[in-house]
Amino acid sequence: MEDSDGNILFNVKGVAFSVIHHRRILYDAAGTPIVTIQRKVKSAHDRWQVFRGDSKETSDLIFSVKRSSLFQLKLKLDVILANNTKEDFCDFKLIGGWLERSFAVYAGESSTAVAQMNKTHTGHAFFRKETKNVVVNPNIDYAFIIALIVTLDAIQSSAGTPVAG
């Protein structure tokens, strides 16, 4: 993942047998693991967990992402921070659509978008290139937003259906 000047900011790698384990690691430009994203094995709402570094320890959990409901026409994901143990509310919500190719991250249940992502495609057939344009509001950790986008892509890959357009 690059910034607007083409500088590499992040790199995502799947772990060996990641198709089975549904695990991805997000690295910074220097190659240091920032977060590990892994699907929770037994989960009714397709829950994914995000851990600090390349850990899978419960004590290193940063946040989890799950579908707001089992059946959805428009994608809605709840983001729950690790310290929200009761899960009475979601800390952030990711809402988007397959057809619109755009997604927004909202603070809790509010209508305040803290980040937006749009996908564009250029080229034709076999030479098609996908670009994700991400705008992050001030005072929002952009690594957190990138981790959400990688989780969204992981959910898409595991479902075998297009989540992000």
Side-chain angles (χ1 to χ4, degrees):
M1 296 174 192
E2 303 171 350
D3 66 11
S4 58
D5 295 326
N7 300 312
I8 294 177
L9 299 174
F10 301 102
N11 195 0
V12 179
K13 294 180 184 172
V15 176
F17 307 108
S18 64
V19 174
I20 297 168
H21 297 282
H22 300 291
R23 184 174 177 212
R24 306 223 169 115
I25 300 177
L26 178 65
Y27 296 88
D28 67 12
T32 305
I34 298 175
V35 296
T36 296
I37 300 161
Q38 184 165 324
R39 185 178 195 174
K40 188 169 182 178
V41 178
K42 295 179 181 178
S43 169
H45 288 269
D46 196 18
R47 183 181 294 256
W48 290 73
Q49 297 175 307
V50 180
F51 300 91
R52 192 169 283 104
D54 63 357
S55 176
K56 295 184 288 180
E57 299 296 323
T58 305
S59 61
D60 288 326
L61 181 68
I62 302 170
F63 63 90
S64 62
V65 178
K66 67 176 187 167
R67 291 182 188 270
S68 299
S69 62
L70 290 174
F71 302 103
Q72 301 180 341
L73 296 176
K74 187 171 191 169
L75 181 71
K76 293 181 183 178
L77 300 174
D78 292 341
V79 180
I80 297 142
L81 298 178
N83 62 358
N84 181 358
T85 56
K86 290 185 181 180
E87 296 187 15
D88 294 345
F89 58 90
C90 67
D91 297 286
F92 294 90
K93 188 170 283 291
L94 192 145
I95 300 174
W98 288 274
L99 298 176
E100 299 90 358
R101 294 190 186 131
S102 65
F103 295 87
V105 178
Y106 296 92
E109 298 292 338
S110 77
S111 59
T112 304
V114 297
Q116 294 185 339
M117 180 193 79
N118 296 304
K119 283 178 121 179
T120 57
H121 293 100
T122 56
H124 303 285
F126 297 111
F127 301 106
R128 192 172 184 165
K129 181 180 178 184
E130 176 183 282
T131 303
K132 293 178 179 111
N133 299 307
V134 180
V135 177
V136 181
N137 289 6
N139 301 319
I140 301 295
D141 183 357
Y142 63 92
F144 168 69
I145 300 300
I146 297 301
L148 285 177
I149 292 169
V150 173
T151 305
L152 176 66
D153 284 345
I155 292 168
Q156 173 186 351
S157 297
S158 72
T161 57
V163 170

